[in-house]
């Protein structure tokens, strides 16, 4: 069974009985079904509005099929998607894989299949989001480092300073004005740009 954390789900299937079975399984396990849809278009709208932990989609649905809906939901990083289908042919599996789904379960879906698939899908999504956050932090740190290096270069040229002294000046101004180092660096670069424009 899944860990005890209560999760919110969106389920989409054009057969009300299947939606009811899925709802019962999830609610009996202590989870919440935040929304139900009978077609892919509605499933996408619910995922955008409700931000569920996971979306369960049938493959064959009107309006937009489950695979096309899964592609949009995963591209927009709304939630991991688990596809439920009576079809396990190679072409359908290939399309599902290309859409970025987290799991692919063949109906009738049993608890023994569903809950491990949900747990893995949610864990992978958490890992991916953490990696993306770490990459964004690294990118920001690198951009800030480049800004600082450019600002130091400006001070070194303008004031005939060594690198260490140029950095100390930026640090001092940062403390005096209570601004992050990168903001001070930006201000120095803007000032230099203005000086160059004044000479043109």
């Amino acid at each position: 069974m899944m860990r005890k954390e209560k999760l919110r789900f969106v389920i989409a299937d054009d057969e009300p009985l299947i939606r009811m079975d899925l709802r019962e399984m999830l609610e009996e396990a202590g989870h919440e079904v935040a929304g139900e849809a009978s077609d892919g278009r509605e499933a996408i709208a619910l995922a955008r509005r409700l931000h569920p932990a996971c979306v369960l989609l049938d493959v064959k649905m009107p309006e937009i099929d489950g695979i096309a809906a899964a592609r949009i939901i995963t591209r927009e990083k709304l939630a991991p998607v688990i596809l439920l289908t009576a079809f396990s042919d190679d072409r359908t599996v290939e399309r599902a894989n290309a859409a970025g789904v987290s799991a692919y379960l063949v109906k009738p879906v049993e608890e023994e299949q569903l809950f491990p698939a949900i747990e893995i899908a949610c864990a992978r999504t958490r890992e991916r989001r953490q990696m993306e956050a770490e990459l964004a932090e690294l990118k920001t740190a690198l951009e800030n480092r480049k800004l600082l290096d450019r600002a130091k270069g400006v001070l070194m040229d303008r004031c005939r300073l060594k690198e260490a002294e140029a950095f100390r000046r930026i640090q001092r101004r940062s403390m005096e004005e209570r601004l992050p180092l990168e903001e001070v660096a930006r201000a120095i670069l803007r000032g230099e740009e203005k000086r160059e424009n004044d000479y043109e």
Side-chain angles (χ1 to χ4, degrees):
M1 288 292 287
M2 288 185 62
R3 58 207 191 104
K4 296 297 180 186
E5 179 189 356
K6 182 176 181 176
L7 301 175
R8 299 175 82 222
F9 290 84
V10 164
I11 55 179
D13 196 300
D14 58 345
E15 293 185 39
L17 278 175
I18 290 175
R19 292 202 308 272
M20 187 178 72
D21 286 345
L22 289 170
R23 175 185 279 276
E24 281 178 8
M25 270 193 269
L26 293 167
E27 289 179 347
E28 281 174 15
H31 302 300
E32 175 193 352
V33 176
E36 291 186 30
S38 57
D39 63 68
R41 193 181 304 281
E42 190 182 358
I44 295 163
L46 286 173
R48 285 172 175 156
R49 183 162 53 86
L50 299 172
H51 307 288
C54 189
V55 179
L56 307 179
L57 293 177
D58 182 32
V59 169
K60 301 287 184 185
M61 287 191 294
E63 296 286 331
I64 297 175
D65 75 12
I67 295 175
R71 188 177 295 109
I72 292 165
I73 290 167
T74 54
R75 186 179 64 219
E76 295 182 15
K77 298 178 182 176
L78 300 173
V81 173
I82 295 174
L83 280 181
L84 315 173
T85 182
F87 304 90
S88 56
D89 58 283
D90 291 347
R91 174 70 184 130
T92 306
V93 173
E94 193 179 298
R95 284 184 64 219
N97 214 20
V101 302
S102 298
Y104 183 96
L105 301 178
V106 178
K107 293 177 181 177
V109 176
E110 303 292 336
E111 285 187 30
E112 294 76 20
Q113 300 171 298
L114 180 62
F115 290 117
I118 291 168
E119 190 164 3
I120 291 166
C122 291
R124 284 185 181 157
T125 299
R126 278 192 298 272
E127 286 167 11
R128 193 197 72 238
R129 286 173 180 165
Q130 187 178 341
M131 282 178 61
E132 286 171 353
E134 287 168 4
L135 280 172
E137 280 178 25
L138 282 171
K139 187 178 175 187
T140 300
L142 183 61
E143 286 168 357
N144 289 342
R145 176 69 186 267
K146 287 178 182 175
L147 266 177
L148 202 52
D149 285 345
R150 285 172 55 208
K152 281 190 295 186
V154 166
L155 291 182
M156 288 163 69
D157 288 346
R158 191 195 301 163
C159 307
R160 300 287 184 264
L161 300 174
K162 291 188 175 176
E163 184 179 359
E165 180 55 32
F167 182 60
R168 276 195 291 274
R169 283 202 185 183
I170 293 170
Q171 276 185 316
R172 195 160 52 241
R173 185 171 163 187
S174 169
M175 288 186 286
E176 286 168 359
E177 299 183 15
R178 295 184 180 183
L179 290 170
L181 288 172
E182 58 269 20
E183 287 302 318
V184 174
R186 283 192 190 92
I188 290 167
L189 294 171
R190 281 195 298 269
E192 182 64 12
E193 192 178 315
K194 185 176 185 305
R195 276 162 55 100
E196 287 174 359
N197 289 341
D198 288 345
Y199 282 118
E200 286 177 1

PDB file of all heavy atoms in Angstrom, residues 37-51:
ATOM      1  N   ALA A  37     -13.577  13.803 -14.561  1.00  0.00           N
ATOM      2  CA  ALA A  37     -13.847  14.262 -15.921  1.00  0.00           C
ATOM      3  C   ALA A  37     -14.268  13.073 -16.777  1.00  0.00           C
ATOM      4  O   ALA A  37     -13.885  11.935 -16.514  1.00  0.00           O
ATOM      5  CB  ALA A  37     -12.607  14.920 -16.513  1.00  0.00           C
ATOM      6  N   SER A  38     -15.054  13.367 -17.814  1.00  0.00           N
ATOM      7  CA  SER A  38     -15.474  12.301 -18.724  1.00  0.00           C
ATOM      8  C   SER A  38     -14.809  12.432 -20.094  1.00  0.00           C
ATOM      9  O   SER A  38     -15.054  11.634 -20.989  1.00  0.00           O
ATOM     10  CB  SER A  38     -16.997  12.329 -18.892  1.00  0.00           C
ATOM     11  OG  SER A  38     -17.411  13.596 -19.366  1.00  0.00           O
ATOM     12  N   ASP A  39     -13.959  13.458 -20.261  1.00  0.00           N
ATOM     13  CA  ASP A  39     -13.209  13.607 -21.510  1.00  0.00           C
ATOM     14  C   ASP A  39     -11.868  14.283 -21.225  1.00  0.00           C
ATOM     15  O   ASP A  39     -11.661  14.856 -20.152  1.00  0.00           O
ATOM     16  CB  ASP A  39     -14.009  14.398 -22.551  1.00  0.00           C
ATOM     17  CG  ASP A  39     -14.311  15.828 -22.114  1.00  0.00           C
ATOM     18  OD1 ASP A  39     -13.363  16.624 -22.015  1.00  0.00           O
ATOM     19  OD2 ASP A  39     -15.488  16.138 -21.861  1.00  0.00           O
ATOM     20  N   GLY A  40     -10.969  14.212 -22.209  1.00  0.00           N
ATOM     21  CA  GLY A  40      -9.616  14.733 -22.023  1.00  0.00           C
ATOM     22  C   GLY A  40      -9.547  16.232 -21.826  1.00  0.00           C
ATOM     23  O   GLY A  40      -8.738  16.722 -21.045  1.00  0.00           O
ATOM     24  N   ARG A  41     -10.404  16.964 -22.523  1.00  0.00           N
ATOM     25  CA  ARG A  41     -10.383  18.431 -22.406  1.00  0.00           C
ATOM     26  C   ARG A  41     -10.707  18.860 -20.971  1.00  0.00           C
ATOM     27  O   ARG A  41     -10.040  19.724 -20.395  1.00  0.00           O
ATOM     28  CB  ARG A  41     -11.390  19.034 -23.391  1.00  0.00           C
ATOM     29  CG  ARG A  41     -11.237  20.546 -23.575  1.00  0.00           C
ATOM     30  CD  ARG A  41     -12.276  21.087 -24.555  1.00  0.00           C
ATOM     31  NE  ARG A  41     -12.235  20.433 -25.850  1.00  0.00           N
ATOM     32  CZ  ARG A  41     -11.342  20.708 -26.803  1.00  0.00           C
ATOM     33  NH1 ARG A  41     -10.410  21.604 -26.586  1.00  0.00           N
ATOM     34  NH2 ARG A  41     -11.386  20.071 -27.964  1.00  0.00           N
ATOM     35  N   GLU A  42     -11.735  18.227 -20.414  1.00  0.00           N
ATOM     36  CA  GLU A  42     -12.143  18.543 -19.044  1.00  0.00           C
ATOM     37  C   GLU A  42     -11.047  18.125 -18.046  1.00  0.00           C
ATOM     38  O   GLU A  42     -10.799  18.828 -17.060  1.00  0.00           O
ATOM     39  CB  GLU A  42     -13.454  17.807 -18.726  1.00  0.00           C
ATOM     40  CG  GLU A  42     -14.108  18.237 -17.434  1.00  0.00           C
ATOM     41  CD  GLU A  42     -15.380  17.439 -17.146  1.00  0.00           C
ATOM     42  OE1 GLU A  42     -15.782  16.574 -17.955  1.00  0.00           O
ATOM     43  OE2 GLU A  42     -15.963  17.687 -16.077  1.00  0.00           O
ATOM     44  N   ALA A  43     -10.384  17.012 -18.314  1.00  0.00           N
ATOM     45  CA  ALA A  43      -9.302  16.543 -17.441  1.00  0.00           C
ATOM     46  C   ALA A  43      -8.167  17.566 -17.383  1.00  0.00           C
ATOM     47  O   ALA A  43      -7.622  17.849 -16.313  1.00  0.00           O
ATOM     48  CB  ALA A  43      -8.776  15.200 -17.935  1.00  0.00           C
ATOM     49  N   ILE A  44      -7.823  18.129 -18.533  1.00  0.00           N
ATOM     50  CA  ILE A  44      -6.756  19.150 -18.588  1.00  0.00           C
ATOM     51  C   ILE A  44      -7.171  20.369 -17.778  1.00  0.00           C
ATOM     52  O   ILE A  44      -6.388  20.905 -16.975  1.00  0.00           O
ATOM     53  CB  ILE A  44      -6.450  19.544 -20.055  1.00  0.00           C
ATOM     54  CG1 ILE A  44      -5.867  18.356 -20.811  1.00  0.00           C
ATOM     55  CG2 ILE A  44      -5.494  20.739 -20.110  1.00  0.00           C
ATOM     56  CD1 ILE A  44      -5.906  18.510 -22.325  1.00  0.00           C
ATOM     57  N   ALA A  45      -8.409  20.816 -17.973  1.00  0.00           N
ATOM     58  CA  ALA A  45      -8.910  21.993 -17.250  1.00  0.00           C
ATOM     59  C   ALA A  45      -8.878  21.763 -15.737  1.00  0.00           C
ATOM     60  O   ALA A  45      -8.482  22.638 -14.961  1.00  0.00           O
ATOM     61  CB  ALA A  45     -10.329  22.335 -17.707  1.00  0.00           C
ATOM     62  N   LEU A  46      -9.279  20.564 -15.303  1.00  0.00           N
ATOM     63  CA  LEU A  46      -9.272  20.242 -13.872  1.00  0.00           C
ATOM     64  C   LEU A  46      -7.845  20.199 -13.324  1.00  0.00           C
ATOM     65  O   LEU A  46      -7.584  20.684 -12.222  1.00  0.00           O
ATOM     66  CB  LEU A  46      -9.969  18.897 -13.622  1.00  0.00           C
ATOM     67  CG  LEU A  46     -11.497  18.892 -13.744  1.00  0.00           C
ATOM     68  CD1 LEU A  46     -12.017  17.456 -13.645  1.00  0.00           C
ATOM     69  CD2 LEU A  46     -12.144  19.756 -12.666  1.00  0.00           C
ATOM     70  N   ALA A  47      -6.929  19.619 -14.082  1.00  0.00           N
ATOM     71  CA  ALA A  47      -5.535  19.552 -13.644  1.00  0.00           C
ATOM     72  C   ALA A  47      -4.955  20.953 -13.484  1.00  0.00           C
ATOM     73  O   ALA A  47      -4.226  21.229 -12.523  1.00  0.00           O
ATOM     74  CB  ALA A  47      -4.705  18.735 -14.624  1.00  0.00           C
ATOM     75  N   ARG A  48      -5.283  21.844 -14.430  1.00  0.00           N
ATOM     76  CA  ARG A  48      -4.794  23.223 -14.337  1.00  0.00           C
ATOM     77  C   ARG A  48      -5.369  23.949 -13.129  1.00  0.00           C
ATOM     78  O   ARG A  48      -4.686  24.733 -12.485  1.00  0.00           O
ATOM     79  CB  ARG A  48      -5.167  23.994 -15.616  1.00  0.00           C
ATOM     80  CG  ARG A  48      -4.313  23.622 -16.813  1.00  0.00           C
ATOM     81  CD  ARG A  48      -4.845  24.269 -18.076  1.00  0.00           C
ATOM     82  NE  ARG A  48      -3.987  24.018 -19.223  1.00  0.00           N
ATOM     83  CZ  ARG A  48      -4.398  24.057 -20.485  1.00  0.00           C
ATOM     84  NH1 ARG A  48      -5.678  24.325 -20.761  1.00  0.00           N
ATOM     85  NH2 ARG A  48      -3.555  23.819 -21.472  1.00  0.00           N
ATOM     86  N   ARG A  49      -6.632  23.682 -12.831  1.00  0.00           N
ATOM     87  CA  ARG A  49      -7.314  24.415 -11.757  1.00  0.00           C
ATOM     88  C   ARG A  49      -7.040  23.835 -10.376  1.00  0.00           C
ATOM     89  O   ARG A  49      -6.888  24.576  -9.407  1.00  0.00           O
ATOM     90  CB  ARG A  49      -8.824  24.416 -12.033  1.00  0.00           C
ATOM     91  CG  ARG A  49      -9.640  25.213 -11.030  1.00  0.00           C
ATOM     92  CD  ARG A  49     -11.022  25.553 -11.570  1.00  0.00           C
ATOM     93  NE  ARG A  49     -11.756  24.407 -12.039  1.00  0.00           N
ATOM     94  CZ  ARG A  49     -12.503  23.614 -11.257  1.00  0.00           C
ATOM     95  NH1 ARG A  49     -12.595  23.851  -9.969  1.00  0.00           N
ATOM     96  NH2 ARG A  49     -13.163  22.596 -11.776  1.00  0.00           N
ATOM     97  N   LEU A  50      -6.935  22.498 -10.280  1.00  0.00           N
ATOM     98  CA  LEU A  50      -6.895  21.849  -8.968  1.00  0.00           C
ATOM     99  C   LEU A  50      -5.490  21.463  -8.494  1.00  0.00           C
ATOM    100  O   LEU A  50      -5.302  21.164  -7.317  1.00  0.00           O
ATOM    101  CB  LEU A  50      -7.779  20.588  -8.989  1.00  0.00           C
ATOM    102  CG  LEU A  50      -9.265  20.844  -9.274  1.00  0.00           C
ATOM    103  CD1 LEU A  50     -10.000  19.527  -9.467  1.00  0.00           C
ATOM    104  CD2 LEU A  50      -9.892  21.650  -8.142  1.00  0.00           C
ATOM    105  N   HIS A  51      -4.505  21.452  -9.405  1.00  0.00           N
ATOM    106  CA  HIS A  51      -3.123  21.083  -9.049  1.00  0.00           C
ATOM    107  C   HIS A  51      -3.064  19.782  -8.240  1.00  0.00           C
ATOM    108  O   HIS A  51      -2.601  19.776  -7.096  1.00  0.00           O
ATOM    109  CB  HIS A  51      -2.441  22.224  -8.278  1.00  0.00           C
ATOM    110  CG  HIS A  51      -2.517  23.534  -8.987  1.00  0.00           C
ATOM    111  ND1 HIS A  51      -1.783  23.801 -10.121  1.00  0.00           N
ATOM    112  CD2 HIS A  51      -3.260  24.635  -8.734  1.00  0.00           C
ATOM    113  CE1 HIS A  51      -2.056  25.023 -10.537  1.00  0.00           C
ATOM    114  NE2 HIS A  51      -2.951  25.551  -9.715  1.00  0.00           N
TER     115      HIS A  51
END
